[in-house]
């Protein structure tokens, strides 16, 4: 069964689509929803859906922009936009945004069911064609290009420079990624995926086949954009091999060098990293090899929760004593399944700064992802990879667990209205807060408050 994600501004329309009986026989399960594109994008990154259903008009980031961002990360994701433009609805596809279908609002059950059936069929065909592309990958490479790649591979492996310039690109910055896999099937799939990535980014990526396994070289004129590209395509390759081969690979990312001719130094350093790598991180950069900073357990740190509750107490003019009691109760009684673990120990300064930023801005509308990445001194995609692998929980889950825990304190110690609590913990839409609270606790906010009130 494939996964689907829903993004729509109207809570009533989201509920109508979510509860439509057509999902039962669609081949898709609805794994998440959001009210705007900015909030949806990190959640989609975590959940990796095969289908995105989104409104064309969304706050902060419209449906077309969201579709482009999602397809740049997961090119196999099917996109169905819901809008009011009858001219667009007559077109089967919108190739400029990689949108598969455009349906007129409000979409009805039979129409939605037909769109889901077509999306499932396309996902099946993509899976089959990707496996076929793996078998055809080597046969389809032109002779001149294969010879060129052999020269480059020989240069990287032996240090003997080919008679002509090794790279046609004149990019200012270059970066290298290598992939290792536990089986020949996963390695073949990784090779095919890298070829496809090269086709999607012809001016920025070069796929190579070396004796040690497939490799990807990335080029760019901007240091931050190149870092973001390297971690984005690494995550895409990892997810693609995992989805279509059923196995996980390991990806090493080299340091940025100032010109392509220095890539051999980066490639040799990656081999040393792969030889000494003992962690279970599937994506690891030379600058991300952190030994003492891995938490023993996943989840929120008690210090972060206390800081967030103190901030909430000040902003809501609540009694510090009441909030302190609520904080200690949450820290003492909630396991990670409820969103908290007091045993995490992170000493790596970039993540300490980013966690402090989250504690200071968790109540801002939307997701403070870009600010947290900036505090860590990383691009957004590198930050997402490093944060999830070091904290053992995704950025989105971490933030929502924090918001839910602060909401629990407000529900158990105050008589604030649920709409006010939603705004106090960073949700502009109360209905969406209720959805997230129930998703993380299994209870509606009013049910949680009733249960806490009934306690002796």
């Amino acid at each position: 069964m494939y996964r689907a994600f829903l993004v729509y501004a109207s809570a009533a329309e989201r509920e109508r689509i979510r509860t439509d009986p057509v999902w039962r026989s669609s081949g898709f399960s609805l794994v998440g929803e959001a009210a705007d594109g900015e909030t949806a994008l990190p959640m989609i990154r975590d959940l990796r859906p095969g289908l995105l259903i989104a409104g064309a008009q969304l706050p902060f980031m419209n449906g077309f922009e969201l579709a482009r961002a999602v397809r740049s990360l997961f090119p196999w994701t099917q996109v169905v936009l819901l809008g009011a433009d009858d001219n667009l609805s007559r077109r089967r596809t919108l190739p400029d945004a990689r949108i598969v279908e455009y349906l007129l609002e409000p979409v009805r059950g039979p129409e939605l069911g037909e769109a889901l059936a077509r999306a499932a069929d396309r996902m099946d065909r993509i899976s089959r064609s990707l496996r076929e592309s793996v078998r055809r990958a080597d046969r389809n490479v032109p002779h001149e290009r294969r010879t060129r790649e052999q020269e480059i591979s020989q240069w990287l492996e032996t240090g003997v420079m080919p008679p002509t310039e090794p790279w046609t690109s004149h990019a200012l910055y270059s970066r290298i990624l290598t992939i290792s896999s536990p089986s020949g099937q996963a390695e073949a799939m990784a090779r095919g995926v890298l070829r496809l990535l090269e086709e999607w980014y012809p001016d920025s990526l070069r796929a190579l086949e070396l004796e040690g396994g497939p490799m990807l070289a990335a080029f760019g004129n901007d240091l931050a954009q190149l870092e973001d590209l390297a971690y984005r395509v690494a995550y895409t390759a990892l997810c693609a091999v995992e989805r279509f081969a059923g196995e996980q690979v390991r990806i090493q990312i080299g340091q940025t060098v100032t010109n392509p001719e220095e890539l051999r130094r980066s490639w040799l350093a990656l081999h040393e990293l792969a030889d000494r790598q003992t962690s279970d991180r599937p994506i690891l950069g030379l600058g991300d090899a952190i030994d003492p900073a891995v938490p023993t357990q996943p989840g929120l740190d008690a210090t972060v929760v206390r800081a967030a509750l103190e901030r909430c107490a000040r902003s809501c003019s609540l009694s510090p004593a009441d909030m302190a009691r609520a904080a200690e109760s949450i820290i003492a009684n909630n396991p990670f399944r409820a969103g908290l673990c007091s045993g995490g120990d992170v000493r790596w300064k970039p993540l300490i700064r980013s966690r402090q930023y989250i504690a200071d801005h968790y109540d801002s509308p939307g997701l403070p992802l870009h600010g947290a990445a900036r505090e860590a001194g990383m691009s957004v995609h590198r930050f997402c990879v490093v944060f999830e692998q070091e904290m053992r929980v995704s950025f989105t889950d971490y933030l929502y667990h924090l918001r839910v825990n602060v909401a629990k304190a407000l529900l158990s110690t105050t008589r604030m209205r649920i709409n006010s609590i939603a705004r106090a913990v960073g949700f502009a839409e109360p209905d969406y807060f209720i959805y997230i609270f129930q998703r993380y606790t299994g209870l509606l906010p009013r049910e949680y408050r009733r249960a806490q009130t009934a306690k002796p």
Side-chain angles (χ1 to χ4, degrees):
M1 178 169 284
Y2 297 117
R3 300 178 179 185
F5 194 95
L6 174 63
V7 189
Y8 207 85
S10 166
E13 187 67 8
R14 286 203 312 274
E15 182 178 5
R16 191 185 64 78
I17 295 174
R18 185 199 321 130
T19 56
D20 196 301
V22 74
W23 288 99
R24 297 171 191 163
S25 57
S26 67
F28 285 93
S29 62
L30 194 59
V31 295
E33 64 180 67
D36 63 83
E38 191 175 75
T39 300
L41 192 55
M43 298 178 69
I44 292 170
R45 186 187 183 281
D46 297 343
L47 295 170
R48 311 176 193 177
L51 171 67
L52 168 66
I53 301 177
Q57 300 301 319
L58 296 171
F60 308 121
M61 176 189 291
N62 67 40
F64 294 91
E65 295 168 334
L66 177 63
R68 292 187 184 97
V70 171
R71 291 295 298 268
S72 72
L73 188 59
F74 302 125
W76 59 82
T77 298
Q78 305 298 296
V79 180
V80 176
L81 280 196
L82 312 179
D85 192 331
D86 190 38
N87 291 327
L88 289 178
S89 70
R90 295 193 185 100
R91 298 171 59 180
R92 297 300 299 167
T93 60
L94 303 178
D96 59 322
R98 295 177 176 177
I99 295 165
V100 175
E101 296 196 35
Y102 187 101
L103 304 180
L104 281 180
E105 301 169 312
V107 64
R108 299 303 178 190
E111 191 178 14
L112 177 62
E114 293 173 3
L116 293 176
R118 290 191 292 268
D121 181 63
R122 284 189 294 267
M123 287 296 295
D124 291 339
R125 292 203 305 268
I126 288 171
S127 180
R128 290 193 297 269
S129 64
L130 183 56
R131 289 188 172 88
E132 178 62 25
S133 72
V134 171
R135 292 191 290 271
R136 297 195 314 260
D138 291 333
R139 297 198 300 270
N140 287 348
V141 177
H143 175 72
E144 298 79 6
R145 179 171 146 188
R146 188 191 302 276
T147 302
R148 192 72 178 145
E149 291 180 356
Q150 290 172 347
E151 289 180 350
I152 295 171
S153 301
Q154 183 180 10
W155 166 57
L156 290 174
E157 293 173 338
T158 66
V160 178
M161 185 73 72
T164 55
E165 288 294 324
W167 306 98
T168 57
S169 170
H170 297 285
L172 179 60
Y173 299 112
S174 307
R175 201 154 193 160
I176 198 168
L177 299 82
T178 61
I179 297 182
S180 56
S181 60
S183 73
Q185 178 185 359
E187 183 171 309
M189 181 64 70
R191 187 166 61 249
V193 168
L194 293 191
R195 292 290 186 196
L196 290 177
L197 286 170
E198 183 184 42
E199 293 177 11
W200 293 327
Y201 302 96
D203 298 327
S204 303
L205 300 178
R206 294 289 182 275
L208 299 172
E209 179 61 31
L210 278 72
E211 185 176 340
M215 187 195 92
L216 197 66
F219 304 92
N221 293 313
D222 181 90
L223 184 60
Q225 291 179 1
L226 178 63
E227 178 181 274
D228 209 52
L229 173 66
Y231 278 84
R232 172 153 46 90
V233 298
Y235 190 74
T236 300
L238 186 81
C239 296
V241 175
E242 185 178 279
R243 171 183 286 271
F244 297 110
E247 298 182 34
Q248 194 173 70
V249 296
R250 281 185 153 186
I251 301 179
Q252 292 84 30
I253 302 178
Q255 292 176 323
T256 302
V257 295
T258 56
N259 62 72
E261 285 74 11
E262 296 180 7
L263 278 182
R264 185 170 189 271
R265 171 170 55 83
S266 178
W267 180 73
L268 292 173
L270 282 181
H271 274 277
E272 295 180 8
L273 174 64
D275 290 341
R276 70 173 188 267
Q277 182 178 350
T278 58
S279 74
D280 58 354
R281 303 179 187 94
I283 300 176
L284 188 61
L286 287 175
D288 304 332
I290 315 148
D291 294 327
V294 179
T296 56
Q297 302 178 67
L300 304 175
D301 186 86
T303 305
V304 174
V305 175
R306 289 192 183 97
L309 286 168
E310 289 173 3
R311 174 180 172 80
C312 184
R314 291 193 300 270
S315 63
C316 297
S317 302
L318 302 175
S319 164
D322 288 344
M323 292 300 286
R325 283 194 296 271
E328 296 309 318
S329 174
I330 290 172
I331 291 167
N333 297 323
N334 280 329
F336 175 63
R337 60 183 173 79
L340 182 68
C341 172
S342 59
D345 179 20
V346 174
R347 294 185 292 273
W348 196 37
K349 287 185 178 179
L351 288 188
I352 292 174
R353 291 195 298 268
S354 66
R355 292 196 319 163
Q356 184 59 51
Y357 182 90
I358 295 169
D360 292 340
H361 296 85
Y362 76 95
D363 53 350
S364 302
L367 296 180
L369 175 58
H370 288 78
R374 186 173 57 249
E375 286 297 308
M378 302 178 188
S379 66
V380 168
H381 282 98
R382 181 189 174 192
F383 174 75
C384 287
V385 167
V386 171
F387 189 93
E388 182 169 353
Q389 294 186 158
E390 300 306 316
M391 299 300 299
R392 309 299 174 91
V393 62
S394 71
F395 171 84
T396 308
D397 268 343
Y398 184 92
L399 175 67
Y400 281 167
H401 281 314
L402 179 58
R403 287 176 169 177
V404 166
N405 276 285
V406 176
K408 286 179 180 179
L410 292 173
L411 288 166
S412 59
T413 61
T414 75
R415 298 184 62 83
M416 289 175 63
R417 295 173 60 87
I418 290 175
N419 289 5
S420 300
I421 292 176
R423 288 189 291 271
V425 298
F427 290 96
E429 187 183 272
D431 289 334
Y432 189 57
F433 161 69
I434 293 171
Y435 166 77
I436 290 293
F437 190 93
Q438 185 177 29
R439 176 183 164 193
Y440 280 83
T441 66
L443 297 172
L444 295 171
R446 65 174 180 273
E447 294 172 340
Y448 180 84
R449 170 172 273 168
R450 193 179 305 124
Q452 295 300 306
T453 305
K455 287 183 177 180

